[in-house]
Amino acid sequence: MANKKRKVYFSALQVRGMLSNEAEEDRAKIKTEIFDPIVAKYDAAKEQGDFSAFQRKIEDGAEVFMVSMLHYEGNVLCGIVSHGTPKIERYLRECNPETFNVKELVPSEGNVFEEYSFFAISIQKMQMAYLSDSAVSTNIPGLVLTLLQPSVNINYYLEESSLYDHDIKKKIKQLGNKVAVYGTIKGQEERIIGGIPSFKTLEQRLGGKIKSELKVKAKLGKQLSDEDIDVILETAAKEEFSSFTFTDERDSDKEVIDVIRNHVRFSKNIELSAEERKIPAAIWRKLCGTLG
């Protein structure tokens, strides 16, 4: 079976003092006072058979988010982040292709179906590498930090960090002249539906409102000047874009520059064989490799 490419995304992390709100930059201190205690608490939970500190149950407890298999690979903290639910929210069941006999999938008593993904945190670089999976969360770094925070030294808290505006401009200028631009504006019902008679007719016949959004796509063939970038940033904010991103088309390991959220999302490709996809250690090894 052929190797499969998976895209690895990255998020910058930051440690702040709970009282001072000042950023902590001492990597050795971050390891010994924050991440070492997290791993120690996880190892203790494993010995006691009680992982309640590393999960968060939702509402009646039927749905749960978890971090598991926490361990070090050198100075990189590796683990699994997952979403557990008592039922699969799609049409999936066991089926015998010869008899067409089927059986609904039901977890064993006390268990849940777990959709999971992998992450690795470099303490030296203060970056998280992760495999994106919307079934787990649309914001995996945020979920991981939320689940780890109860085990963090009470004097600190973990957060995602982003680049400042001048860094965003610098990144855009470095892209060159082979750039793809994507934008989305939501809430365009009045402009789009109101201006297209067929949409209005559909609304009347359906007896309800149609939601719509406007998508923008462009490819650049020139180097953007400082003035160009200033106008683009100002216009994107003024038009209330829900997203507006730049990507260098020549870069297979893409950086996605989001000017609305004011951060740069990095990504790299890894290849996993059919055998490696079954072995967590192999996946973590590849994730650690992307963190350099």
Side-chain angles (χ1 to χ4, degrees):
M1 190 177 295
N3 291 356
K4 280 192 176 181
K5 282 189 176 181
R6 286 295 306 268
K7 192 169 287 295
V8 179
Y9 293 99
F10 300 85
S11 180
L13 307 180
Q14 194 166 62
V15 173
R16 288 189 178 275
M18 189 64 75
L19 297 178
S20 67
N21 199 37
E22 292 182 0
E24 176 58 66
E25 302 294 346
D26 187 330
R27 299 298 195 259
K29 189 175 182 181
I30 288 172
K31 182 179 184 299
T32 57
E33 295 194 12
I34 297 170
F35 288 103
D36 284 355
I38 290 175
V39 174
K41 288 182 181 180
Y42 184 80
D43 289 342
K46 186 162 53 175
E47 287 185 12
Q48 296 163 8
D50 180 5
F51 292 102
S52 56
F54 294 91
Q55 60 182 248
R56 176 168 292 189
K57 294 184 177 180
I58 308 300
E59 296 177 354
D60 59 359
E63 188 179 7
V64 60
F65 292 94
M66 303 169 281
V67 284
S68 60
M69 298 183 72
L70 293 178
H71 68 284
Y72 277 130
E73 296 280 345
N75 276 343
V76 178
L77 177 65
C78 297
I80 283 176
V81 59
S82 60
H83 172 214
T85 179
K87 59 182 179 179
I88 298 175
E89 297 292 345
R90 58 182 181 274
Y91 293 119
L92 183 66
R93 63 189 181 186
E94 286 187 31
C95 176
N96 185 310
E98 295 181 1
T99 65
F100 281 3
N101 289 334
V102 297
K103 183 168 65 174
E104 296 300 325
L105 299 178
V106 180
S108 304
E109 185 177 352
N111 291 342
V112 292
F113 290 117
E114 182 187 31
E115 295 182 279
Y116 62 96
S117 191
F118 296 81
F119 68 90
I121 298 174
S122 167
I123 299 172
Q124 188 59 41
K125 299 185 73 172
M126 284 306 289
Q127 286 184 2
M128 180 189 300
Y130 62 96
L131 299 180
S132 181
D133 189 337
S134 59
V136 177
S137 173
T138 56
N139 181 11
I140 283 181
L143 176 60
V144 171
L145 298 187
T146 297
L147 292 168
L148 291 181
Q149 188 61 49
S151 299
V152 172
N153 183 313
I154 61 172
N155 295 317
Y156 302 98
Y157 66 93
L158 289 167
E159 65 179 6
E160 294 180 77
S161 65
S162 59
L163 299 176
Y164 293 107
D165 183 57
H166 68 273
D167 292 319
I168 292 291
K169 292 180 182 178
K170 181 179 178 181
K171 283 289 184 182
I172 293 173
K173 288 192 70 175
Q174 291 173 341
L175 287 175
N177 59 4
K178 294 293 183 181
V179 179
V181 180
Y182 302 91
T184 304
I185 310 178
K186 294 183 178 179
Q188 295 301 296
E189 291 79 10
E190 186 176 340
R191 291 187 189 182
I192 298 175
I193 297 173
I196 302 178
S198 59
F199 277 20
K200 209 64 179 172
T201 300
L202 284 173
E203 278 195 338
Q204 292 170 355
R205 293 298 176 181
L206 292 170
K209 295 292 183 181
I210 296 176
K211 297 292 183 182
S212 68
E213 61 182 36
L214 178 63
K215 289 189 176 295
V216 176
K217 180 179 179 180
K219 292 187 178 181
L220 306 186
K222 68 168 188 173
Q223 183 80 42
L224 293 175
S225 67
D226 287 333
E227 184 180 358
D228 291 332
I229 296 172
D230 287 338
V231 171
I232 289 169
L233 296 179
E234 181 183 349
T235 303
K238 182 168 57 181
E239 290 293 338
E240 297 182 349
F241 279 84
S242 57
S243 68
F244 200 95
T245 62
F246 290 79
T247 303
D248 189 336
E249 289 199 310
R250 297 167 298 186
D251 186 5
S252 60
D253 295 335
K254 295 186 185 302
E255 291 184 347
V256 179
I257 303 173
D258 190 325
V259 303
I260 302 300
R261 294 181 176 86
N262 198 34
H263 67 214
V264 180
R265 185 177 66 175
F266 302 89
S267 67
K268 291 183 179 180
N269 290 319
I270 59 171
E271 286 195 5
L272 295 168
S273 66
E275 190 63 30
E276 286 174 326
R277 293 196 293 273
K278 301 175 185 176
I279 304 172
I283 297 173
W284 283 316
R285 186 165 57 248
K286 294 287 181 76
L287 284 181
C288 292
T290 65
L291 288 163

